[in-house]
């Protein structure tokens, strides 16, 4: 399916990057591993025979150009994306190739839409930020749930994680985001982002069985508040997180994910429950699976596959739900994600 297509992976030796490299190979693409740490690239190549490695740094445009030379697309897995997204996007625009990233950082995704929308549209380029568990999956589910609705009153995305062992990259990206917003929290209400100093509310969320009702942090805001409003007319977008996962993320001593199978996945399970409401009517879409980092790889690689085969709906900077057929896209991931959509 990806025969003869070379795809550069920036941040290939990171936790998510390794999953992406493996997924590209499984799909028949030829991955090129890039990043600033040559020793880590060499270690990755030792475990992936025949892997082409090309060191590059975001503060060295020429090195990025060399890393992307001959590639059909680039997937950026290197956070914090507040630092890496813009330089890698610029390199992709110079190379004339599509750009996909897995950014969960709200501010970094906003920057991508703000700074590159006009240029990318004018160039006919494709830039898909947040093509990951956070931002991408929720957007696809919300878009599928909307169906033939052109507007909705509200969208709710509840993350039912049984726990969360964050990677070093997740922690670093979170630190950058908190710094950029001065320690405040953020929510999307009334058609805009609001920055608040009060504590996020705690409430109950009735997840589908077998998870059932759980205590969640309300307004535990993720990248969905950027991706969903970028193309859907929904003035209220709220995201929620199970308290167990929120506590794990906040604790400084929570260990990184540990592999429990040959693919490198952790034992973590997830259930994403999306509810959209309009004029008193409710529609629901649900996805479940294992390991939020591992499942990001098929999301990003499927996106690249569809871009390169012309299965897209627009150009420019676009979220997953805007550029792809959401139900069809989710169906293509049935071996990794179980999905229930409105009939």
């Amino acid at each position: 399916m990806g025969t003869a297509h070379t795809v550069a992976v920036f941040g290939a030796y990171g936790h998510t990057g390794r999953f992406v490299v493996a997924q590209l190979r499984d799909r028949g693409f030829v991955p090129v591993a890039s990043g600033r740490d040559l020793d880590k690239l060499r270690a990755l190549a030792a475990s992936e025979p025949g892997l082409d490695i090309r060191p590059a740094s975001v503060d060295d445009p020429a090195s990025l150009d060399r890393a992307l030379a001959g590639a059909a697309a680039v997937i950026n897995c290197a956070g914090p994306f507040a630092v890496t997204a813009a330089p890698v996007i610029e390199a992709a625009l110079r190379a004339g190739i599509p750009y996909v990233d897995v950014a969960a950082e709200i501010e970094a995704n906003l920057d991508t839409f703000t700074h590159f929308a006009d240029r990318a549209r004018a160039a006919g380029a494709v830039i898909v930020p947040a093509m990951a568990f956070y931002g991408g999956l929720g957007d696809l589910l919300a878009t599928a749930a909307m169906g033939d609705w052109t507007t909705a009153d509200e969208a709710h995305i509840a993350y039912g994680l049984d726990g969360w062992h964050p990677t070093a990259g997740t922690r670093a990206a979170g630190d950058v985001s908190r710094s950029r917003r001065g320690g405040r929290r953020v929510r999307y209400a009334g058609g805009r982002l609001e920055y608040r100093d009060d504590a996020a509310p705690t409430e109950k969320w009735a997840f589908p069985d077998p998870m059932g009702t759980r205590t969640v942090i309300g307004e535990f805001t993720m990248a969905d508040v950027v991706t969903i409003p970028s193309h859907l007319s929904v003035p209220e977008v709220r995201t929620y997180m199970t308290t167990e996962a929120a506590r794990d993320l906040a604790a400084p001593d929570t260990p990184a994910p540990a592999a429990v199978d040959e693919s490198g996945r952790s034992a973590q399970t997830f259930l994403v429950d999306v509810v959209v409401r309009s004029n008193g009517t409710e529609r629901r879409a649900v996805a479940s699976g294992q390991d939020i980092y591992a499942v990001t790889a098929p999301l990003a690689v499927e996106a690249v596959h569809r871009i390169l085969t012309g299965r897209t709906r627009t150009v420019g900077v676009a979220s997953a739900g805007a550029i792809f057929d959401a139900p069809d896209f989710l169906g293509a991931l049935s071996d990794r994600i179980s999905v229930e959509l409105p009939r």
Side-chain angles (χ1 to χ4, degrees):
M1 295 200 303
T3 303
H5 284 305
T6 297
V7 177
V9 182
F10 189 70
Y13 46 72
H15 188 80
T16 301
R18 288 174 175 267
F19 284 120
V20 170
V21 168
Q23 182 70 15
L24 285 167
R25 283 191 150 175
D26 288 347
R27 293 288 299 269
F29 291 93
V30 179
V32 169
S34 185
R36 67 180 181 180
D37 193 317
L38 180 57
D39 289 339
K40 290 181 178 179
L41 286 172
R42 286 172 172 162
L44 177 62
S47 65
E48 295 277 352
L51 182 66
D52 185 6
I53 61 172
R54 302 179 188 177
S57 173
V58 294
D59 56 8
D60 183 355
S63 71
L64 289 172
D65 292 343
R66 290 191 294 271
L68 271 53
V74 58
I75 302 175
N76 183 5
C77 300
F81 292 89
V83 176
T84 69
V88 182
I89 290 171
E90 292 284 5
L93 290 172
R94 289 193 299 272
I97 62 175
Y99 167 95
V100 172
D101 72 31
V102 298
E105 298 161 44
I106 294 168
E107 296 79 15
N109 287 310
L110 280 172
D111 288 346
T112 297
F113 277 98
T114 301
H115 298 152
F116 292 99
D118 291 343
R119 284 177 58 194
R121 190 182 306 111
V126 172
I127 296 172
V128 185
M131 194 63 244
F133 179 78
Y134 294 116
L137 180 56
D139 182 33
L140 288 166
L141 291 167
T143 303
M146 288 276 288
D148 59 354
W149 289 355
T150 57
T151 64
D153 300 320
E154 54 196 63
H156 301 266
I157 303 91
Y159 289 101
L161 276 57
D162 66 343
W164 189 352
H165 287 233
T167 64
T170 294
R171 291 191 183 280
D175 289 343
V176 170
S177 286
R178 281 189 293 275
S179 176
R180 290 188 67 179
R181 63 176 82 128
R184 296 176 295 169
R185 67 182 185 88
V186 61
R187 70 173 187 172
Y188 189 86
R192 64 184 181 88
L193 290 174
E194 296 179 351
Y195 291 87
R196 302 174 63 94
D197 294 310
D198 59 336
T202 300
E203 54 194 274
K204 298 290 186 179
W205 184 272
F207 288 96
D209 291 333
M211 180 165 282
T213 299
R214 297 292 183 95
T215 303
V216 297
I217 305 297
E219 301 176 9
F220 190 97
T221 306
M222 304 303 291
D224 311 275
V225 300
V226 177
T227 56
I228 292 172
S230 74
H231 69 107
L232 297 177
S233 179
V234 184
E236 306 285 328
V237 180
R238 304 290 175 88
T239 59
Y240 309 79
M241 180 65 66
T242 45
T243 53
E244 301 95 326
R247 282 196 298 266
D248 285 348
L249 179 63
D253 57 348
T254 301
V260 296
D261 62 26
E262 66 281 355
S263 72
R265 291 189 301 175
S266 72
Q268 179 195 50
T269 60
F270 64 82
L271 189 154
V272 184
D273 188 21
V274 174
V275 175
V276 294
R277 299 189 179 109
S278 180
N279 295 321
T281 301
E282 180 176 291
R283 290 178 176 175
R284 193 172 210 161
V286 182
S288 58
Q290 179 181 345
D291 194 328
I292 64 174
Y293 296 106
V295 84
T296 287
L299 283 161
V301 173
E302 178 67 19
V304 166
H305 171 65
R306 289 181 179 239
I307 294 167
L308 295 180
T309 54
R311 299 168 67 187
T312 55
R313 294 176 161 178
T314 188
V315 295
V317 180
S319 68
I323 196 169
F324 304 119
D325 179 325
D328 187 67
F329 191 108
L330 291 165
L333 302 181
S334 60
D335 61 331
R336 299 297 294 273
I337 305 174
S338 296
V339 177
E340 297 178 24
L341 301 179
R343 296 181 182 274

